[in-house]
Amino acid sequence: MSAIKTALKAAKGALDAHQYDEAVKHATEVLKEDSRNYHANVFLGLALEKQSQNEESEKAYTAATAIKANDPLAWQGLISLYEQQGGRKLDEYHDAAIHLARLFMAVYVMDDKTRCQTVVDKYTDLARKCGSRSQYKRSLEILLPGNELYDYLEGRIPHPSYTYKKLAEIVEQDEKEKINHEIGQRRTRLGAKVDQVTVEVKREVLQESDLEVLFQHVIDWTDDEETRRLYEEKLLQHAYDTLTALPGPQKAGKREEVIRLARGLVILKHPFALAWKIGLEWQDVENIEELDAGLLHEYIQFFPEDGLGKVFRAYLGSEVSVFPKRAPSAEDKQDGTNGDAEDIDPMTAEDRLVLMTDGVADIPSSVLAHRLMGEYYLHLEEYESAAEVARKARRQLVLESRLSGLPFQNISDAVDLVLGTALVHHQAPRHHPEAKSLFEGILARKPANSSALVGIGLILEEREEFEHAINFLERALRYAPSTRIRAEAAWCKALNGDHAAALSELEECLPFLNESDLRTKNLKAQTLYRMGMCMWNLDTSKSSRRDRSKAYARYISALQADMNFAPAYTSLGIYYTDYAKDKSRARKCFQKAFELSSSEVVAAERLAQSFAKTSEWDLVEVVAQRVIESGKLRPPPGSKKKGISWPFAALGVVQLTNQEYPKSIVSFQSALRISPKDYYSWVGLGESYQSSGRYIAATKAFEQAQKLEQELGSQVLGDTWFSKYMLANVKRELGEYDAAITGYREVLASRRDEYGVSIASLQTFVEAAWNDLEIGFFGRAIQSAREALETAKDIVTWRKDAFDLWKSVGDLCSFYIYIQSYIAEFPTQDVRGLLKFDCNLEDYTLLADIDEVDLAAFDSSLSDDSARSMVECCSFAAILAQKRAVSCCTHDPHARAVAWYNLGWAEHRAHSCRPGSNHQGVKATKYLKAAVYCFKRAIELESGNSEFWNSLGVVTSQLHPGVAQHSFVRSLYLNDKSARTWINLGVFYLTEGDVQLANDAFSRAQSVDPDYAQAWLGQGLLAAQLGETSEARTLFTHAWEISSASATQIQRSYASSTFDHLLSQQHASKDSANLLQPLLALGRLSKLSLVDLPYDHIRSLFQERIGDHMNASHALSSICSALETEYETSESQETLGHFAQAKADLGRSFLAEANFEGATENAETALDLSADDDQQNATRGKTRLSAHLSAGLGHYYLGSMERSIEMFEGALEETQGDPDIICLLAQVLWAKGGEQERAMARDQLFDSIEKHPGHVSTTLLLGVIAVLDDDRDTIDAVSDDLQLLRSRDDLSPAQHHQLAQVLNAVAALYPGDRNQASAQTSEAATAVMLGPSLPYGWRQLAHLTDDPHPALMAILTAVKKAPPGGDLSAEDLSEAYTGTRAGGDAQRSIMLAPWKPGGWKALSRI
């Protein structure tokens, strides 16, 4: 023990001497001996504390407190240690301080409160400075009432109100931070919505909050009145926020608390806006008068600048207010005021409306403000604004009900009444279904609600269900007697036809109406007007309606009662229009009525009609648009009232006049939705569709209009010819010219002198002719031209100076120039009579000094009926007609420019049709000069027309290349999307030799319009010039495929390129399918061009190749005659060569027709004509070869063998031993039958085979001759050669067949070691193996065996080789069907080639 005491003293001495290491050493020695030594632990803790070993020191102090818990020394050391560490050990400090304070409170008697207070103050001060808000809050909680320290230290520590305020501030700040933090975290979650997250977080935080308890404690403990009111505000606000965050089922208790708190603040007249708004807004009153007027006035005093206060101030001072005006109180008089602001500052109606509007804008969440605003708008009859405000109030009421949990049924019904009443009048009857639904909902809950009954009555009145309307109005009258309701019920009776009773009841209402009362002023005017209407309808005689003491007087009285009563102006307008015959006053009345109310549809209709008569379309549009916006056009669903369609129709007419076709379509469609049987709207819709290019829809519209014509009749609709005329126009646009012409004729049958219809009929004939010309129906085009001339003859008798007439006549004359094969049918006398009908000869002398074309020149051209003269006659007629057109449009610059343009092209056509037009002779140039002059005049009149510049470029291309280039460039500057101009520029560059620029121009034309054939033609010409024949042919073919039938140059280029290609391709020339299209093109060309010998010759060669020998012979005979005539005139060697070539071709055609005499005659003529030709060229050689062969074969078939041999020998000389000619000669020699001739044939063939080894025809002939001669050696040699030839790849199918036939014959006659059938079968199998895709081997094998498979394969291969898959003939295909021994195949064989006996034989064997 003594050692312990010594050590403790040493430790104490070391501490005093600040030798802390020694103190630790001694204290540790003591604790080793006695670990529960209290002082050793205290000394150790203190020493360690001084050495800043806080953790070890805390352990030592804690051990000491565990040994002696009621000794303050260790607790003081521990608190000192915690104080040095600031806020690090604040939680431990809390426990130690409370324990030490309790020790001072319980153990010590002297200075205990002081030392206890010191401990508490130090702890709370340290928590305030260094701790968190939660730690500071924990430190303050020990100072609250109910805590043992508060009871002990009361008076020494802060007042509870101060502590509670501090705690409230801390908790309030914590809640805000927690809410913000949680919202920030949760809003980033997938699918989270900010509003929903905010509500959830607030609900979680506020439900667990004890802030309201703290606020209440502050209110309970504080002695400061301002502080109490402040915390009452906070308490109410927090309770309200909690209420809005709670779910519906949990709102009831909290809502009662909020209402209690708010009512308390209102009773205390404390100016806290939330309390007053809750007190006013949450009163579920059915009528505004149920509110406390005093509260409203006090609210205005407390919150004069608040939005709701502004609304209260304006409402209470208005004439619509249900509250009495408040008189100034004694206090107000003492204060020198007169009460509320609304009493001392009377406002005008405008200022009041502005104030209420501003107030509603300032507080958009107030249902009460919107309700008062809506009722005031109803009073002002601003129904649109009332409906808008009521809708906002409904939306806000839903939100308020959701936040507070109150149903607000009475408020909802009141707002619905405002909305329903507004919808009854606003754009009636558009919103009547919605209004009726609202009223029915109110009546379901409150059957005696007079406003809802009146609303439904008005809706039924608008629907013309007057009996039901009277029923509802009388019910409303029973529940709430009112002069207004009684007058409305009487008016319903008038509308129901009981005018006498209605007049009596309206007169009874009149004494109760006072003009000085603003509320009844309008009602009195309305009642007087309705009395006038009853008088108007009671006696409908003119004398009664003219009587100014009856209805007229009531209308005037109505206006005296209210100068702004619109219906009275409308009725006065009708009176002045129909009975007083004062249009000026009537128009003013209608204008006034419509200015006052857009619902005055009758006045608007009368105004629109008057404006339309004077073509004031802008005013018509304004009137119609305003009526449409009024919403009174469409009746509500289920209504008996008919809709009003005329405003949409009128608007459609205005838009149609202004060329706003999409808008006019919508307008007419809207009119027809209201009135499906509106005939004129159907016509307007059809015209709009037509003008916008929607012709199918236009057709349907006009057809519907015509159906209505049949249903309604002409007595209802009047004259209906216009729809037929417009339908004909649509058919014309669709290209249905026959239907269009029929329609025009139907109109002209009843309106013969209608110029527009007549000229449309004429132009339709012209367009039909052009269309037929384009598609190749040339005869029908000429027929349309004839009918058009007949129409023109009729028009000229009563409208001789019409530009369109003479322009069409000129076009009709041009048709015969385009289709020259019908030139002989040109009605010269009819055209002559047309041109001379009541004419001014000076009109035809225009440009006569240049082109020498006038009536005399036209008459002189009639003297010669030759084809060329007839072409000139047509040209003259076209020019004269266009000259007459120029003289008919002197007052129209645009038409005059077009007339000069048309005349220029007529002159150019005359130039193109004259002989030698490609040369610049005098006669050819005069028309070009005239054309240049015409186009220049057109440009002078209209320089911005690109077509005029393009035309000038065309006609000056040969005369003035520089002018032409400038014209083309100018045209493209005006319109660079014109493919025609680009093509003309390309041709110009091509003729000038600039290939690159020509290619660029043609390429640009193709990009502008890929379907324009001339662009592809230009590229083809360019390719041909560059020597790219294959590319040129492809381009010409595409151009022909997309071109019209009148494109002569395309047809020439396509036919010639195709013919050249066929000549270069041996096998292609045998494919007749490739010849049909060029033959069609040449056939069209022969119709369009009167004389075109080169292409007529090519056409005959195409006909020859497809086997049409008769037409080929006829064409060649005509060509020979024309060439003979030309040669007699020109004696040109070139013409003579062409004549010889045509004769040779004619001889060949005669030979194909079996006309052997004609063949030999024409062939020998060709030989005679070409015998003296000094020029040795390929064409002459081919001509003579063809003639020799034709003559040789002709003589052969005529039996003149000697002459035939001579011709073939001549052919041999021409070809220098051609093997094919040798084969023909050998066949003729063999056919002659003499031994010498046959020996000569053998020699010729042997010589030929030596010179041309491998020649198939020669080898075949040798084989046939060897078989006929029974020459075994030759047969063996030839058989080997034939076997070698069979394996060649260049053999045609026909040659394969011939080889198989010869080898099969050899096998049959000389089978060798095999029998005959086996040898033939072997040869047939070999043929199949070498040519499995050819039908010949299969067919031969089918005849030799009974197996059906070879016969079926023969049919399959034959079908594949038939056109278009190959060039197998119909005879060969027919022969393939004969091998199956089936009746159906035999019939197919007969159908394919009925002239062949094989099919008939096969059928006979069935």
Side-chain angles (χ1 to χ4, degrees), residues 228-360:
R228 181 177 290 108
R229 296 293 169 263
L230 174 63
Y231 278 88
E232 285 176 348
E233 292 178 5
K234 289 188 174 186
L235 178 60
L236 175 59
Q237 185 68 55
H238 192 276
Y240 179 78
D241 292 341
T242 305
L243 174 65
T244 58
L246 289 174
Q250 302 177 15
K251 287 182 181 288
K254 180 59 71 173
R255 181 174 61 248
E256 295 301 325
E257 180 184 350
V258 170
I259 294 174
R260 177 181 59 78
L261 293 172
R263 186 181 294 119
L265 288 173
V266 171
I267 292 172
L268 293 173
K269 295 185 175 14
H270 178 66
F272 182 50
L274 178 62
W276 287 84
K277 288 176 182 177
I278 291 174
L280 292 171
E281 297 272 4
W282 286 14
Q283 292 188 48
D284 189 19
V285 295
E286 184 174 357
N287 299 306
I288 294 296
E289 54 264 27
E290 297 179 27
L291 293 174
D292 187 351
L295 289 179
L296 302 183
H297 289 288
E298 290 172 354
Y299 190 94
I300 297 172
Q301 290 179 351
F302 289 135
F303 312 104
E305 298 302 322
D306 181 76
L308 188 58
K310 293 178 182 179
V311 174
F312 285 161
R313 177 185 172 192
Y315 178 80
L316 292 174
S318 69
E319 61 275 12
V320 75
S321 173
V322 296
F323 301 106
K325 298 291 187 295
R326 198 180 82 163
S329 63
E331 296 177 357
D332 295 331
K333 292 179 180 178
Q334 293 177 359
D335 296 339
T337 65
N338 292 324
D340 295 332
E342 74 272 11
D343 296 322
I344 65 174
D345 184 20
M347 292 178 288
T348 63
E350 292 79 4
D351 293 339
R352 186 174 295 110
L353 181 60
V354 171
L355 184 61
M356 292 188 76
T357 305
D358 291 343
V360 172

Side-chain angles (χ1 to χ4, degrees), residues 414-596:
V415 173
D416 287 348
L417 280 176
V418 173
L419 177 59
T421 305
L423 293 178
V424 167
H425 299 282
H426 174 53
Q427 294 185 343
R430 176 184 294 180
H431 305 291
H432 281 184
E434 181 182 0
K436 187 178 179 183
S437 176
L438 292 172
F439 292 140
E440 289 174 345
I442 295 171
L443 290 175
R445 294 182 293 273
K446 302 171 182 176
N449 191 294
S450 60
S451 298
L453 291 169
V454 171
I456 293 182
L458 293 175
I459 292 172
L460 294 173
E461 176 186 333
E462 182 69 25
R463 292 185 176 183
E464 299 183 357
E465 299 178 17
F466 302 117
E467 293 182 359
H468 293 87
I470 293 170
N471 180 28
F472 274 90
L473 291 172
E474 288 179 348
R475 284 172 57 190
L477 197 59
R478 287 197 301 269
Y479 293 126
S482 168
T483 304
R484 185 180 297 275
I485 300 175
R486 182 178 293 108
E488 197 65 42
W491 178 240
C492 284
K493 293 180 180 178
L495 294 175
N496 200 32
D498 192 358
H499 299 289
L503 180 60
S504 175
E505 294 182 13
L506 289 171
E507 288 177 346
E508 293 176 0
C509 295
L510 202 58
F512 298 98
L513 304 176
N514 186 4
E515 293 183 17
S516 60
D517 189 352
L518 295 177
R519 301 183 183 183
T520 60
K521 178 181 178 181
N522 180 266
L523 180 60
K524 182 175 183 180
Q526 185 184 67
T527 304
L528 288 168
Y529 162 74
R530 289 176 172 178
M531 291 171 61
M533 290 301 297
C534 291
M535 293 178 180
W536 185 271
N537 293 317
L538 272 174
D539 188 355
T540 58
S541 63
K542 290 187 177 180
S543 59
S544 175
R545 291 187 171 182
R546 285 175 180 167
D547 189 353
R548 296 201 172 196
S549 63
K550 294 185 177 180
Y552 177 83
R554 298 299 185 276
Y555 299 150
I556 295 298
S557 298
L559 292 178
Q560 290 173 351
D562 185 358
M563 291 297 295
N564 294 325
F565 190 70
Y569 286 106
T570 300
S571 298
L572 282 175
I574 295 173
Y575 171 82
Y576 285 127
T577 301
D578 298 340
Y579 298 98
K581 305 301 180 183
D582 190 343
K583 293 184 178 180
S584 176
R585 284 189 176 182
R587 186 165 182 172
K588 291 179 180 178
C589 288
F590 289 137
Q591 287 179 336
K592 184 66 175 177
F594 192 60
E595 287 174 4
L596 291 172

